[in-house]
Amino acid sequence: MISPISSSPAFLLTACLLATTAHAQKSVDVYLTAKDSGERLSKVATLSLGGRGVLTEKEQRIFVDPAKTFQTLLGIGGALTDASAETYFKLPVEKRRELIRAYYDSEHGIGYSLGRTHINSCDFSSASYTYVAEGDTALKTFSIAPDEKHRIPFIKDALAAVKGPFAMYASPWSPPAWMKDNNHMLRGGKLKPEMRDAWARYYVAFIQAYEKAGIPIWGLTVQNEPMAVQRWESCVYTAEEEKDFVRDHLGPVLAKSGMADKKIVIWDHNRTWIFQRAQAALNDPEAAKYIWGVGFHWYSDDAFDNVRLVKETYPQTHLLFTEGCNFPYDRTKLSDWNWGELYGRSMIKDFNNGADGWTDWNVLLDETGGPNHVKNFCYAPVHADTQTGELMYMNSYYYIGHFSKFIRPGAKRVISSSTVDRLLTTAFKNADGSVAVVVMNSSGEAQAFALTIGQQSVPVSSPAHSILTLVVR
């Protein structure tokens, strides 16, 4: 089985990168992914921190302070959808093993530690479906049989490769059609007031069924994209309706069912409205007591500051990036370098603004950007050509890996400050004491900088259009 991650360096950084100091106290392992090179998460050097040197205003530096800590990392990962699972089972067995190792093995892959899946069907299903018969508010017919052919075996294969903590959460795209005022799973509509209790019990039935199947569920989001009327599975909640549903139904029903430990995440939509939706729910103490955090997507303006505002206003509330992908799909553009840089920029800024975790959308799609029953095709970090069995790794896979492989669950974010805008950075201190510093250069020119921690420093060069992870031990 061939790992998609390069294991031997073919790229030499500049001479200054290789500088060492005899009296250095800490080593720095350097991992690189760079455009127009063969480097993909390649270990290219081991450096040593030495003297700090003379500081000058024009010198580019990354200052790291491991003593000042912020949020604790929940995990980094992607969504295990019907589309991903169906594509997975079209692959030869050896390619399935390669994919699982590439994503979930922390040594030979990128060590995903967070997963999302869907309750009922979503757009990335081959058809719409639910788990109960029409009108069954008692949920006597509840069955996850639609998931048992592909999705559940796929998730279990992924979990079997994980070493260490893994958090799986679930999101509904739509209740059954008969629970909604438009009598349809697609095109928006609202949950009927008289169905709120039955719908809350539906989440409990899902958790029980999945856990019986061997898949622990860490938490739930209330509704995927509750402000959007989509041509696929969707359901609209106002801020007040979402708050009331959590306060009066979902929270109490989970508690009554012995599931008070399951985390509830509200919003699960774009950063643009995150503060207003958080404010509406978290200003109500009776609703807030059930809410673990606020989820968000990237499908509108960046609005990174809105994430920060939620954290500053509600410091005890957790923040979770729940979905992002690039679209529309065009197979001829799989190798475009900008896809990975969009991920790197978002992850750095979301973490620096307080996010506890970061979840990509589909972990795997086919050569068409699907399957998808409404032709809403998009990119995934890995695509499979189901005709040839080939796996195609986009650069976004490697960019995500620069975080997920080296920043592990339980890590604490620490200060990482860049003196120039062209070098984006974030850093985390892992439980083993190592500090992972991510530095992204999306400019068209190499950027020399000095990594500085306390009174020690080492010169580094970041190639044009590259991302580095510097692991300090």
Side-chain angles (χ1 to χ4, degrees):
M1 181 167 52
I2 299 173
S3 170
I5 298 175
S6 174
S7 59
S8 60
F11 178 83
L12 291 179
L13 300 182
T14 61
C16 71
L17 179 66
L18 301 176
T20 60
T21 302
H23 302 293
Q25 297 179 1
K26 289 185 178 293
S27 66
V28 182
D29 291 332
V30 183
Y31 298 85
L32 171 70
T33 294
K35 184 180 181 181
D36 299 328
S37 79
E39 304 309 328
R40 299 293 182 268
L41 269 174
S42 305
K43 184 177 180 180
V44 293
T46 296
L47 313 179
S48 295
L49 285 167
R52 180 168 178 164
V54 178
L55 301 181
T56 62
E57 182 183 4
K58 292 184 179 181
E59 184 183 25
Q60 299 185 162
R61 292 219 179 204
I62 301 292
F63 288 96
V64 176
D65 181 3
K68 176 60 178 175
T69 61
F70 300 92
Q71 77 270 22
T72 301
L73 184 77
L74 170 67
I76 298 168
L80 297 105
T81 60
D82 283 337
S84 296
E86 290 169 27
T87 302
Y88 174 75
F89 281 106
K90 291 177 182 176
L91 289 169
V93 172
E94 66 273 14
K95 287 297 182 178
R96 294 181 209 166
R97 291 174 181 159
E98 178 187 325
L99 181 88
I100 293 297
R101 175 171 141 168
Y103 270 124
Y104 298 99
D105 187 314
S106 56
E107 180 180 357
H108 301 289
I110 61 174
Y112 269 11
S113 54
L114 184 63
R116 184 190 189 208
T117 196
H118 46 96
I119 300 172
N120 295 328
S121 59
C122 68
D123 47 334
F124 280 88
S125 301
S126 292
S128 295
Y129 63 84
T130 69
Y131 304 128
V132 295
E134 184 167 354
D136 179 15
T137 57
L139 309 184
K140 291 181 179 179
T141 59
F142 191 95
S143 169
I144 56 170
D147 302 357
E148 290 173 346
K149 183 177 181 181
H150 294 124
R151 186 157 36 122
I152 287 175
F154 175 48
I155 294 173
K156 292 179 76 171
D157 281 357
L159 293 178
V162 173
K163 296 180 178 65
F166 190 92
M168 173 68 75
Y169 65 99
S171 306
W173 266 239
S174 174
W178 52 271
M179 288 189 178
K180 297 170 64 182
D181 62 5
N182 69 342
N183 200 36
H184 208 292
M185 289 187 72
L186 282 58
R187 299 187 291 276
K190 291 192 174 189
L191 179 68
K192 296 176 182 177
E194 64 270 25
M195 293 295 174
R196 289 174 180 170
D197 185 68
W199 182 228
R201 288 186 283 107
Y202 202 102
Y203 296 74
V204 170
F206 176 87
I207 294 171
Q208 290 172 335
Y210 260 63
E211 294 196 336
K212 185 177 180 181
I215 301 172
I217 300 296
W218 168 86
L220 303 158
T221 75
V222 178
Q223 168 64 42
N224 178 70
E225 299 184 347
M227 198 179 257
V229 176
Q230 306 283 26
R231 55 190 175 87
W232 51 87
E233 288 86 339
S234 46
C235 185
V236 174
Y237 289 77
T238 66
E240 289 294 313
E241 288 166 343
E242 184 178 35
K243 176 197 71 176
D244 292 349
F245 178 65
V246 170
R247 183 193 64 203
D248 301 333
H249 300 278
L250 184 57
V253 165
L254 285 173
K256 185 178 179 180
S257 302
M259 297 184 181
D261 62 324
K262 305 303 181 186
K263 307 300 189 289
I264 296 176
V265 178
I266 61 168
W267 187 222
D268 197 8
H269 206 162
N270 292 324
R271 297 187 194 100
T272 46
W273 283 79
I274 186 175
F275 182 80
Q276 288 72 24
R277 294 293 291 231
Q279 187 178 45
L282 298 176
N283 282 353
D284 183 334
E286 291 304 306
K289 70 183 182 182
Y290 294 114
I291 296 170
W292 176 86
V294 186
F296 58 97
H297 300 181
W298 73 9
Y299 299 116
S300 188
D301 291 346
D302 284 339
F304 292 114
D305 280 350
N306 290 344
V307 178
R308 174 182 54 80
L309 288 172
V310 175
K311 192 63 178 180
E312 290 177 349
T313 308
Y314 306 98
Q316 301 307 311
T317 295
H318 301 275
L319 293 162
L320 180 62
F321 185 89
T322 48
E323 185 185 316
C325 72
N326 296 315
F327 65 92
Y329 178 77
D330 180 345
R331 185 170 181 174
T332 67
K333 296 182 179 179
L334 282 172
S335 62
D336 284 8
W337 199 257
N338 63 297
W339 301 134
E341 292 183 338
L342 289 169
Y343 276 84
R345 178 170 176 266
S346 175
M347 295 180 78
I348 288 170
K349 289 184 176 289
D350 287 335
F351 284 133
N352 287 347
N353 284 316
D356 294 77
W358 211 93
T359 327
D360 184 33
W361 189 208
N362 303 277
V363 295
L364 175 69
L365 292 173
D366 68 15
E367 66 273 19
T368 72
N372 182 297
H373 71 92
V374 290
K375 304 186 185 304
N376 181 34
F377 303 125
C378 72
Y379 294 96
V382 183
H383 283 267
D385 187 325
T386 58
Q387 304 304 309
T388 66
E390 177 190 4
L391 287 174
M392 299 168 282
Y393 294 84
M394 295 184 67
N395 71 321
S396 52
Y397 166 84
Y398 300 101
Y399 270 70
I400 296 169
H402 272 271
F403 301 83
S404 61
K405 184 175 179 67
F406 306 105
I407 305 170
R408 305 303 299 159
K412 297 273 190 182
R413 185 172 66 86
V414 300
I415 288 175
S416 187
S417 171
S418 174
T419 62
V420 290
D421 289 343
R422 54 186 165 267
L423 292 175
L424 298 180
T425 182
T426 192
F428 283 76
K429 184 176 182 179
N430 288 301
D432 65 2
S434 64
V435 177
V437 185
V438 180
V439 180
M440 190 179 95
N441 171 19
S442 59
S443 78
E445 297 180 357
Q447 302 294 325
F449 66 93
L451 174 67
T452 302
I453 303 178
Q455 298 302 310
Q456 293 190 310
S457 185
V458 66
V460 184
S461 181
S462 171
H465 295 291
S466 71
I467 186 167
L468 292 164
T469 301
L470 311 168
V471 181
V472 183
R473 302 182 191 278

